[in-house]
Amino acid sequence: ETMTTLRPHDIVVEINGETIPAYTIATWKAALKLEALGMKRRGQSVNTIACSYLGLPKGTKIAHTLAVVTDILEQVYQTIAEHAIS
């Protein structure tokens, strides 16, 4: 019996016509938590980047973006678990 292994770059999410790797969304989640604590970065904020991909309006609060990203990841994890069972 051959067991297939899911690699991180194999798992993608389709959002607003964009194909985004799940590991990118997981990275957004971690970075959004740090931004919420006040950490700065050079260039655009992760909140701005995530909002542009997710189709959220400019000025969306970090907490809301984090909630949306968390919901997406929960769906990804649930899908992975369902495939692992079958």
Side-chain angles (χ1 to χ4, degrees):
E1 182 177 320
T2 305
M3 186 171 162
T4 58
T5 303
L6 278 178
R7 294 171 298 196
H9 59 276
D10 292 335
I11 305 164
V12 294
V13 179
E14 182 88 22
I15 300 172
N16 297 330
E18 296 267 357
T19 303
I20 306 169
Y23 68 84
T24 299
I25 299 171
T27 303
W28 289 345
K29 181 179 176 184
L32 284 165
K33 286 181 178 181
L34 292 173
E35 274 189 13
L37 293 174
M39 184 172 256
K40 303 276 188 196
R41 55 170 272 159
R42 295 181 182 175
Q44 285 186 310
S45 72
V46 176
N47 190 39
T48 304
I49 295 168
C51 285
S52 69
Y53 277 97
L54 299 174
L56 299 173
K58 285 185 178 181
T60 302
K61 301 288 184 192
I62 292 174
H64 179 70
T65 308
L66 184 58
V68 171
V69 167
T70 302
D71 289 344
I72 292 168
L73 284 175
E74 287 298 323
Q75 292 173 7
V76 169
Y77 298 149
Q78 185 176 7
T79 303
I80 292 169
E82 288 170 1
H83 287 333
I85 293 171
S86 58

